[in-house]
Amino acid sequence: MASLWSSLEKDVFNPQKKRLLETIRVWKTGKKKKMSILCVVVDTFRPMQPFLVKVKVDRGEQYKIAYKWPLAELKLVDGKTLNQGLWQGAWVFTSMEINEKKNNFPGQINYICTACLKGKSHLQVSLDFDLQFDKVYKWTASSFEEKKTFIRCLWKLNHRFLASSITFVNVPSCAAEGRQRPQEDRKDTAETESQEELSVYQEMTPKEAADVLKLMEEYEPLVNNSVAFAEQLSNDLHVMDEANLRAIISSERQVTQLMSSIDEALAEVARVEETLQIYDELLGSVKQQMDHIHQENSLLHRIISNKTKLMDEILFLTTHLNLSKEHCDALSRADLSSPSRVKACIAAAEALSGCMNIQLQPGYRKLQSVAEQLIMFETLKQNFESSFISHITSIFELQGNALGQPIDKLSAPSHGLHHEELVPYAPLMAWLRNANPVLFCDLPKVYAQNLSRLYDREIKAFFEQAKTFLLGRRKGSLQESLEKPTAMGSIQQSRWSLPGSREGQEHTLDKGMIVKQMLEQVLRELQPLCTAEQQFIEKFFQLSQDAADLQELEASTTKGGESMASPEDPPCTKPRSQLEEPTTRLLSEIFSCLEPELRGFLDVCNKVHPFGCLQVLVTLNDSIFEMWGSSSALPSSFLNTVLGNMLLLAKSSFNKCIGTLCKEIEEAKMVSKMKGGTLPSVSRFEEFVNFSEEVFRTARRRGELDKAHLRLAGSVFSSINSLSSANLKVNTDMVMMENFHHIHCFLCQKKIHCLEGKKREAKQRYSEHMEKYVIKYLGQPLEKLNHFFEGVKARVAQGVKEEEVSFQLAYSKQELRKVIEKYPGKEVKRALETLYRKIHKYLSPEENLLPVVWHAMEQEFIRQYQEFEDLIQRCYAGSGIAMDFTTEDLLSYFNSITLSNM
């Protein structure tokens, strides 16, 4: 119980400033499973009020208040005790249970039976009791002692705090007051004495045992004689009794005086109790009056608090729902004709938004004055919205119908004045966006529809002027100059007829530089135009707020996909779908003609120069990179998107150009009367590489050019290889050797990294065809001798022994001597001179391959001579057969021929 009491005080009642007086564990009658605790508590502050609290224990062994009743609402306490005898018997029984020192079991049974017989009832202890508030609560206590203590506590609180307003039924007054009658006291005393007489012998205490030992030591001689010892003790006791009687007789007067003093004290105590009773009754009425005054004070405080809160709410409504007369007039007139009046309307609109955005409780809107004020605000807002929209729409229409600026030089128009005219209305646009988003969404569309007409006229005039400057002609002859080359069918011819001289190439480069300069000028003029318009509409129509979430999404996507992007791709050439945001959609409508006009201008650039697509590609790439790195450029500029689309178009045009060029190279037909030299396809490849390298010299990326070089090189190689099937009057291997050698020397000079593989392949092919050419022509000076020894090698290969070859009829020693006699030294030298003149005739002087080919022939001729000598030694050993010339003779022949033709 102590643990329960301390837990309840610490966890439940001390935090609520209440003092615990009594507890009882109960359950609803008939439902023992759900046990609760009833607690009687009072406030720790004045005025103290008693309460009855029902406490439950949850699953976590935590105490929780389930219900609380003021004890003043308690009307009736029913103890469920039928008569006083039963209550007394049960009370005595429970008292004897806890008194183990002064009662024994036979005495308990005796007394209980006596009490029950006097009460004329059986011993049946009732644990049930009822408490009546607004309804009757029936409970059953866990023990009769707790029930008796709980009811006694209620009885005391009823007399002390509630002026006996609670009715107690079936509860004896003696039990409730906690005392017994005098007759019962006397009866208890007699019974206690009788029970003490019947009590069993108890063991001596240590002090008693020590006294007995001391007595036996004094009478030690008599201890052995028990009769004499008993007589001695009896005499001593008689003497002591006699002394006690004399002492009592001598102190009888003092005892009488003490008894009279006790009687007087008892009488005085009775008078004090009567006086205290009177004072208690007087104080009871005063307490009721004080409690009544306290309740009245509490009500007064509550009234004052309610008045204060009401005044605060009224001040809140009157302060925040009040729109000044000046603001109302400004909104009603909606005069936006001057800057000062525009500022007045802006201040009024912001004040109106502040009034309408106040958070009001639902009940306030039912107040008539509040409802009328809100209706007035809504009316003002709607009227001003319609007036403002009409005014701003008229400004958009006037700007859209304005005449474009005359163009004397190639420069894009500026709309700074138009933007300055609209900037003062930006706060009102922001207000309209928050006040009525539906109406606001239509204004950007109206702006785009009107301004697109102005931009269409200006952009078309700008590009017409750019085309005129590019072609260097008057406007009237512009279309004629573009159509004339097409009509003559000379586009393809121009591709193959680029000037081969240095002056022609310089003229071609100059025209390419003009294309680049004009395109760069056009892009430089377009950037501030598009950037200024984009910045204006983002600020004026509050579009940057809508794009903020999209930029965060793009940043997270870019972080996750950086490794997947090509390092050479421009950072702004993103798909169009990724930039489909309000700003981009609006700019697409405003600059609806920009992309078609720019596309047409790029077509003109492509027609001005055979390889104008290279200039366009490089210029667009560099412009996009420069624009992306510029601090003034927007990270998601509309112009970047347009240029990205143009870059894709330029790449497509470049790839088509390269594809057409490759096809023409591969399908080119060689002239049958061609005498050798560099092929047209090789010259074309060389011209393209020279021009493209000059164009891409300062370019920031060259991935497309490297791919084009590889495609063209492959086509040129295929074109050279196709010569093997052509019917040429000159030797095919010689032509292929010259062209592969030309390509190898050209690539070595240019040092293009992507063509290193093609350079090595050209060198290999050049060496192969030179070897074939040398072998083919070397057979002519010693043709019969060469055929003879080829036959000898064939017989040996067939299995004929080398020493037996001379016995073959066709390859006998006599046949060998006949063949050798046909080729004396002078004849060999004359044949070599004829061969030299023939090679010199057909080899082109530009490649300067004659010394190389002649030296290769010398080496091959000497190799063949040594091979023939070896076969003679092996197959015709001992025959004494030898050729008419030696290796030294051959070297002298070659040297003399070379020196004579220098």
Side-chain angles (χ1 to χ4, degrees), residues 685-717:
F685 173 72
E686 182 179 354
E687 293 168 4
F688 176 83
V689 171
N690 286 328
F691 180 78
S692 61
E693 287 297 320
E694 180 64 26
V695 172
F696 277 81
R697 182 168 51 85
T698 59
R700 302 194 181 187
R701 61 184 299 268
R702 50 178 296 144
E704 298 295 328
L705 180 62
D706 291 343
K707 295 177 183 177
H709 282 166
L710 290 173
R711 289 182 61 186
L712 286 174
S715 298
V716 171
F717 281 30

Side-chain angles (χ1 to χ4, degrees), residues 640-677:
N640 284 356
T641 307
V642 174
L643 293 183
N645 294 335
M646 293 300 101
L647 181 60
L648 295 178
L649 179 64
K651 288 181 179 179
S652 177
S653 301
F654 177 72
N655 291 332
K656 288 181 181 178
C657 176
I658 298 301
T660 304
L661 188 57
C662 291
K663 186 176 180 181
E664 292 172 355
I665 291 174
E666 292 173 357
E667 296 178 356
K669 294 182 178 180
M670 300 297 134
V671 181
S672 60
K673 295 182 180 181
M674 182 177 178
K675 295 183 179 181

Side-chain angles (χ1 to χ4, degrees), residues 512-513 515-516 519 611-619 691 695:
M513 291 303 297
V515 172
K516 180 178 181 182
L519 184 55
F611 294 134
C613 55
L614 272 75
Q615 289 287 7
V616 172
L617 181 62
V618 172
T619 306
F691 180 78
V695 172

Side-chain angles (χ1 to χ4, degrees), residues 226-296:
S226 59
V227 177
F229 182 61
E231 288 180 357
Q232 184 63 36
L233 292 177
S234 176
N235 292 334
D236 292 342
L237 181 60
H238 180 70
V239 172
M240 293 174 66
D241 288 339
E242 183 178 354
N244 286 336
L245 288 174
R246 289 177 180 173
I248 290 171
I249 293 171
S250 61
S251 59
E252 182 176 0
R253 184 181 300 173
Q254 296 176 356
V255 172
T256 302
Q257 291 177 357
L258 178 61
M259 293 300 292
S260 61
S261 299
I262 291 173
D263 292 337
E264 292 176 0
L266 290 175
E268 186 66 26
V269 168
R271 286 195 298 272
V272 171
E273 288 181 352
E274 292 176 0
T275 304
L276 292 175
Q277 185 67 27
I278 295 171
Y279 290 162
D280 189 39
E281 294 176 358
L282 294 175
L283 290 175
S285 61
V286 172
K287 180 181 178 302
Q288 292 179 357
Q289 294 175 4
M290 293 299 295
D291 292 342
H292 182 68
I293 292 171
H294 178 74
Q295 292 177 358
E296 290 182 350

Side-chain angles (χ1 to χ4, degrees), residues 179-243:
R179 63 176 183 272
Q180 294 177 326
R181 299 176 181 176
Q183 294 88 349
E184 293 176 355
D185 292 340
R186 288 193 296 272
K187 178 193 68 175
D188 291 342
T189 303
E191 289 181 356
T192 301
E193 290 176 356
S194 63
Q195 290 173 2
E196 289 178 354
E197 290 176 358
L198 296 175
S199 62
V200 296
Y201 172 76
Q202 295 181 355
E203 184 180 358
M204 288 189 300
T205 62
K207 184 177 180 182
E208 292 175 345
D211 292 340
V212 171
L213 290 175
K214 183 178 180 181
L215 182 64
M216 293 178 68
E217 288 176 356
E218 291 180 359
Y219 296 97
E220 184 176 359
L222 300 176
V223 171
N224 295 329
N225 188 357
S226 59
V227 177
F229 182 61
E231 288 180 357
Q232 184 63 36
L233 292 177
S234 176
N235 292 334
D236 292 342
L237 181 60
H238 180 70
V239 172
M240 293 174 66
D241 288 339
E242 183 178 354

Side-chain angles (χ1 to χ4, degrees), residues 374-390:
L374 294 178
I375 292 172
M376 183 193 72
F377 292 159
E378 186 64 28
T379 304
L380 288 173
K381 181 175 80 73
Q382 292 179 1
N383 293 337
F384 183 72
E385 284 175 355
S386 60
S387 301
F388 172 66
I389 291 174
S390 300

